[in-house]
Amino acid sequence: PKSATFEARPRPGKAISSTTPPLRCQLECRRADDVSADDRDVIMQLISDNMSALYAESSWGWKEREKKREIFDDRHYFLLARRDSDKKLVGLANIRFDLDFNAPVLYCYELQVRSDCQGQGLGKFLLLSMQIMATRARMAKLMVTVFKANERTLKFFYDMRFKRDETDLGEQGENVDLDYVILSKTTSQ
């Protein structure tokens, strides 16, 4: 697997606590079928911790077995972020190269960061890494589905210049009340 390094840098006007060292991580890319059983357990726990309540409140409901089957499908890849100090998995992206209405896209199924590591730029680093991958693979765009109730995540993607995708039913003028929006960002090919 290929790897990269991430080190948290404080945002202007926001200092990282002097008692907590900056977050340093190694990022690796793995095919879903190459992820160890231990890592699979950690991944599912992280997704459950961050998302099960949002799923439970939605019309989709939280179905852990289906979610596990989806993200570990052999067409998926993971970007895994491990903290340097203890090698623990602290963040991930679950992605798939796909065709969406005959356009080549990189679809982000999950972007998760442990709660104690949020707000330090790791999610942004993972997203920027996906954007580079999408561009280099000549994908038309990077896509993601976000629950409308997940306001913090919606703001994150809008701040990263994602827009409602043309395939989003609300964007097509359909009078539907869905729990989610489909967002995308075109690549610079």
Side-chain angles (χ1 to χ4, degrees), residues 109-122:
Y109 282 73
E110 295 292 336
L111 176 58
Q112 303 294 333
V113 176
R114 267 182 35 171
S115 60
D116 62 330
C117 296
Q118 291 177 5
Q120 298 184 57
L122 180 55

Side-chain angles (χ1 to χ4, degrees), residues 7-138:
E7 182 172 350
R9 303 258 187 239
R11 285 182 274 195
K14 182 182 180 192
I16 295 176
S17 166
S18 61
T19 60
T20 305
L23 179 64
R24 288 186 50 85
C25 295
Q26 290 297 313
L27 183 66
E28 63 186 56
C29 182
R30 293 195 174 273
R31 291 184 57 94
D33 52 3
D34 288 337
V35 174
S36 72
D38 287 344
D39 281 346
R40 286 174 182 248
D41 291 342
V42 173
I43 289 166
M44 286 308 300
Q45 187 61 56
L46 178 56
I47 293 171
S48 178
D49 290 348
N50 288 355
M51 298 299 297
S52 62
L54 286 164
Y55 271 96
E57 294 170 9
S58 77
S59 60
W60 293 356
W62 175 242
K63 300 172 183 138
E64 188 169 339
R65 188 174 294 140
E66 287 180 25
K67 176 52 77 176
K68 190 172 189 176
R69 190 171 28 251
E70 174 188 78
I71 66 171
F72 292 109
D73 179 289
D74 64 3
R75 296 171 290 178
H76 287 236
Y77 291 82
F78 280 92
L79 296 178
L80 302 173
R82 294 184 193 284
R83 187 168 37 209
D84 279 358
S85 61
D86 58 10
K87 305 301 181 217
K88 287 192 176 176
L89 189 60
V90 295
L92 66 93
N94 177 250
I95 56 177
R96 183 167 126 183
F97 294 91
D98 211 344
L99 286 175
D100 190 65
F101 292 92
N102 293 320
V105 301
L106 180 58
Y107 212 103
C108 175
Y109 282 73
E110 295 292 336
L111 176 58
Q112 303 294 333
V113 176
R114 267 182 35 171
S115 60
D116 62 330
C117 296
Q118 291 177 5
Q120 298 184 57
L122 180 55
K124 183 176 181 178
F125 181 75
L126 287 163
L127 184 60
L128 292 172
S129 298
M130 287 185 276
Q131 287 177 223
I132 291 168
M133 292 172 72
T135 300
R136 287 189 177 168
R138 301 188 188 280

